[in-house]
């Protein structure tokens, strides 16, 4: 019986468009953003940020070095938010509120402090609610200092929630992340990025499988 739902963030809760992020970082002055950015797993100092090995200030400094000019925190934040297609769907958020009446809801995301500075504020939702208002707990790679699809982040989430993988539906648009969860005993659903997953999640929960 499923008792917990674990959601990825980008592409599941908030829609994103990878090409927009490339343009946003080019606008800051980064000459080769595709070397660092990916739809699911970043590289270089972008990955160091999302894995918690460097913080926001160090990221801004290194972004400035690559851009050949001083870059502000606000510019870096705006560039990271270039990933997302806003506003976040109110219908999707309403579905989360409905699901939370019967299940415990969590986020498990490879993300960073710039994105969460927005997501954990009243700017996140057209209703003025932060991401935290829709979930029991957020498990964020930069805070946990480990990333999907590594086993460590799943094990820490299970211990800290706490939750039992076999009682948990894990929803992620990355096939690699979904496969990692399935290998650890999670029920998994891997929808297409930015798709409307609501009906299929309800079907899975209704079937109990």
């Amino acid at each position: 019986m499923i008792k917990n739902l674990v959601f990825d963030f980008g592409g599941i809760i908030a829609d994103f468009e990878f090409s927009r992020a490339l343009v946003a970082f080019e606008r800051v002055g980064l000459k080769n953003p595709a070397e660092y950015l990916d739809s699911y797993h970043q590289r270089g100092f972008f990955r160091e940020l999302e894995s918690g090995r460097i913080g926001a200030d160090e990221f801004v400094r290194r972004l400035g070095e690559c851009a050949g000019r001083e870059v502000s925190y606000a510019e870096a934040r705006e560039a990271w938010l270039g990933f997302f297609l806003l506003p976040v769907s109110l219908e999707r958020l309403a579905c989360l509120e409905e699901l939370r009446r019967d299940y415990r809801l969590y986020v498990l995301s490879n993300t960073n402090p710039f994105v969460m500075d927005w997501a954990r504020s009243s700017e996140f939702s057209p209703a003025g609610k932060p991401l935290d208002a829709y979930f029991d707990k957020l498990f964020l790679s930069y805070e946990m200092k480990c990333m999907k699809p590594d086993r460590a982040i799943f094990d820490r989430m299970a211990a800290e929630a706490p939750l039992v993988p076999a009682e948990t539906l894990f929803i992620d648009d990355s096939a690699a992340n979904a496969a990692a969860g399935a290998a650890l005993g999670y029920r998994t659903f891997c929808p297409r990025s930015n798709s409307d997953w609501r009906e299929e999640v309800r079907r899975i929960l209704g079937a109990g499988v």
Side-chain angles (χ1 to χ4, degrees):
M1 181 179 178
I2 294 172
K3 299 179 180 178
N4 316 289
L5 305 178
V6 175
F7 291 84
D8 183 28
F9 180 68
I12 298 294
I13 305 303
D15 289 348
F16 73 89
E17 186 176 311
F18 177 59
S19 62
R20 285 167 50 92
L22 295 179
V23 171
F25 277 100
E26 284 175 349
R27 194 178 300 122
V28 170
L30 189 62
K31 305 296 190 297
N32 50 350
E35 289 187 15
Y36 301 100
L37 287 165
D38 184 84
S39 295
Y40 301 110
H41 306 104
Q42 315 310 335
R43 294 179 287 274
F45 70 100
F46 282 66
R47 183 177 179 85
E48 290 181 52
L49 176 71
E50 298 213 324
S51 64
R53 293 200 295 273
I54 64 172
D57 290 344
E58 175 65 9
F59 178 85
V60 168
R61 186 188 70 78
R62 291 171 71 172
L63 182 60
E65 283 184 352
C66 291
R69 68 175 184 86
E70 189 171 322
V71 173
S72 69
Y73 178 94
E75 286 178 305
R77 181 182 187 271
E78 183 178 357
W80 274 110
L81 295 188
F83 259 108
F84 299 99
L85 300 169
L86 302 178
V88 176
S89 164
L90 273 176
E91 292 79 13
R92 206 172 284 169
L93 296 177
C95 180
L96 293 174
E97 291 179 315
E98 176 189 324
L99 291 169
R100 202 173 175 199
R101 297 182 195 131
D102 299 308
Y103 303 92
R104 292 182 64 81
L105 267 60
Y106 304 96
V107 165
L108 181 65
S109 177
N110 290 346
T111 188
N112 63 71
F114 297 99
V115 171
M116 285 298 123
D117 184 29
W118 156 67
R120 305 187 89 166
S121 77
S122 60
E123 295 177 55
F124 170 68
S125 164
K129 297 179 182 180
L131 180 64
D132 301 76
Y134 299 92
F135 292 90
D136 292 278
K137 188 172 175 62
L138 310 184
F139 293 98
L140 310 173
S141 62
Y142 74 97
E143 292 181 344
M144 300 173 77
K145 294 183 168 47
C146 47
M147 300 179 72
K148 296 179 294 185
D150 294 345
R151 176 172 183 155
I153 197 166
F154 289 95
D155 288 348
R156 281 193 55 188
M157 175 181 67
E160 293 176 21
L163 57 80
V164 176
E167 299 174 346
T168 305
L169 177 63
F170 173 49
I171 302 151
D172 196 302
D173 60 333
S174 161
N177 294 342
L184 296 172
Y186 289 84
R187 319 281 185 90
T188 61
F189 170 40
C190 184
R192 181 172 49 82
S193 297
N194 303 345
S195 63
D196 186 351
W197 42 259
R198 293 175 296 163
E199 183 177 340
E200 182 62 14
V201 166
R202 290 187 179 111
R203 188 199 68 76
I204 291 169
L205 295 175
V209 297

